[in-house]
Amino acid sequence: MKLLKKLPLLALLAILTFSCSTDSIDDKADALVENLVVPPTKEIETKILELINNHRLSLGLNPLGDLTIVKSVAYSHTDYMVDKDEISHDNFYTRSNYLKANAGAKKVSENVAYGYSKAESVVNAWIKSDSHRKNIEGDFTNFNISAEKNEEGKWYYTNIFIKK
């Protein structure tokens, strides 16, 4: 009987673990955003940003501007996921707070993904997911993305959205 009472909580935890992150998700990590790097932009990253903005424009929404500081924060998380060899939203609040303090963000959200080899596939997967699509179509002003490969050549992605 106790298990039945905890089942909804476990289901909610699973959903939050594998969906997108927003300011409402409680992240208990205390890691710091340090030594931010802005790597050169890859073709796949440019294409993803273009596809997201094209989707927004098709709905009559404003296109989002890219910000270097957002890319650097996204890169720090993508690099973290590659190092751990797992997809996560670990330390989301650290990234969010950093962007609020240093980029003038009022609101921050992110989508992450793993394994997609083409820009179209990762964007289509996000659009098919209600929670990820909500970020793509959300009330944001800026965004950027980091895409990095692990040792096996599998891509990891962090796409961060902010509203100034």
Side-chain angles (χ1 to χ4, degrees), residues 77-122:
H77 184 60
T78 305
D79 191 47
Y80 169 85
M81 291 191 300
V82 168
D83 285 348
K84 289 192 73 172
D85 201 25
E86 70 180 40
I87 189 170
S88 75
H89 290 289
D90 291 355
N91 310 317
F92 173 72
Y93 268 110
T94 302
R95 291 186 295 287
S96 176
N97 289 336
Y98 182 87
L99 289 168
K100 287 175 180 175
N102 296 285
K106 305 280 185 250
K107 178 172 131 179
V108 180
S109 195
E110 75 181 13
N111 289 342
V112 295
Y114 163 78
Y116 297 94
S117 59
K118 295 185 179 176
E120 294 83 2
S121 356
V122 71

Side-chain angles (χ1 to χ4, degrees), residues 56-74:
R56 289 178 62 86
L57 288 168
S58 76
L59 299 173
L61 300 170
N62 63 301
L64 303 176
D66 61 345
L67 282 179
T68 303
I69 190 170
V70 175
K71 181 173 182 62
S72 65
V73 173

